[in-house]
Amino acid sequence: MNKIWLAVTGTAAAAALVACSGGTTTAVQPLAAAGTPTSTSTPAPTTTTTTAPPPSTTTTTAPPSTSKSTTTTKKPTSTPKKTTQPAANPSVPCSITEGACVDISAKKAWLLSGGKVIYGPVSITTGRKGYPTPTGTFHVLYKEKMHLSKEFDDAPMPNSVFFYPGDAFHQGSLSAPSHGCVHLSSASSLKFFSTLSVGDPVQVVP
């Protein structure tokens, strides 16, 4: 009788303990035959909390703009320079700027280059009556170091520069008129011969 009471009392006390335990459940087994209670404890389930990694944040930075503003500058239009011929030297009566100038009335001659006098004036004699020296603008036809005049008994004409058929600059008398040629001194004839070239202009004014 006493054993049965003890068993009942123990069971009620265990139930009251379970009711205040705060959530842990204990299963009470009936007493064994020898009167010793056997209890089996069930461990509380293990709760595993998995924390998800923070979402990967990928920031894409746009590369800086490398485009450059190109300003096109128009080049100024160049104005072609006008090429002007040098004016004739005011100290000579000829309009040419290159070659030889002859002034019959003044009995003078010059050599010109680039509109400037490079030699002269030098004294000359020109054609006599019936053998005038032609006037106008001509060009050097040919040169001959020692020309012999067939028309006048092979008369020597040193440093001959022909500018008209039969008429030339050459060394000759500065006192007697010629038969149409332009007489120069020895030094002047050499200068004219060495300076003038075939094709150079020759202007003879009255």
Side-chain angles (χ1 to χ4, degrees):
M1 182 67 177
N2 291 334
K3 290 180 180 181
I4 296 171
W5 183 83
L6 289 171
V8 174
T9 305
T11 300
L17 181 62
V18 170
C20 300
S21 66
T24 301
T25 304
T26 302
V28 180
Q29 300 294 332
L31 294 174
T36 303
T38 302
S39 63
T40 302
S41 299
T42 302
T46 303
T47 303
T48 303
T49 303
T50 303
T51 304
S56 174
T57 303
T58 303
T59 303
T60 304
T61 304
S65 174
T66 57
S67 62
K68 295 181 179 180
S69 176
T70 304
T71 302
T72 304
T73 304
K74 293 184 178 180
K75 294 182 179 180
T77 303
S78 60
T79 303
K81 295 182 179 179
K82 294 182 179 180
T83 303
T84 57
Q85 295 293 333
N89 194 301
S91 64
V92 299
C94 299
S95 61
I96 61 173
T97 58
E98 304 285 338
C101 173
V102 176
D103 186 342
I104 293 177
S105 60
K107 298 184 179 181
K108 299 293 181 182
W110 299 261
L111 289 176
L112 309 172
S113 179
K116 296 180 180 180
V117 174
I118 59 172
Y119 185 70
V122 295
S123 298
I124 61 169
T125 54
T126 56
R128 66 188 66 186
K129 187 177 180 179
Y131 296 92
T133 299
T135 58
T137 301
F138 314 100
H139 292 84
V140 175
L141 301 175
Y142 65 97
K143 302 193 301 183
E144 193 172 346
K145 185 64 179 173
M146 177 56 76
H147 179 76
L148 299 177
S149 176
K150 296 178 181 179
E151 191 174 354
F152 297 100
D153 300 323
D154 290 337
M157 298 168 56
N159 303 319
S160 291
V161 179
F162 285 87
F163 58 88
Y164 189 83
D167 293 321
F169 295 104
H170 66 85
Q171 178 183 333
S173 172
L174 296 180
S175 58
S178 71
H179 289 87
C181 291
V182 178
H183 285 175
L184 298 164
S185 69
S186 176
S188 295
S189 69
L190 182 60
K191 181 67 174 180
F192 272 60
F193 184 85
S194 61
T195 302
L196 293 173
S197 300
V198 173
D200 283 351
V202 174
Q203 186 174 1
V204 181
V205 297

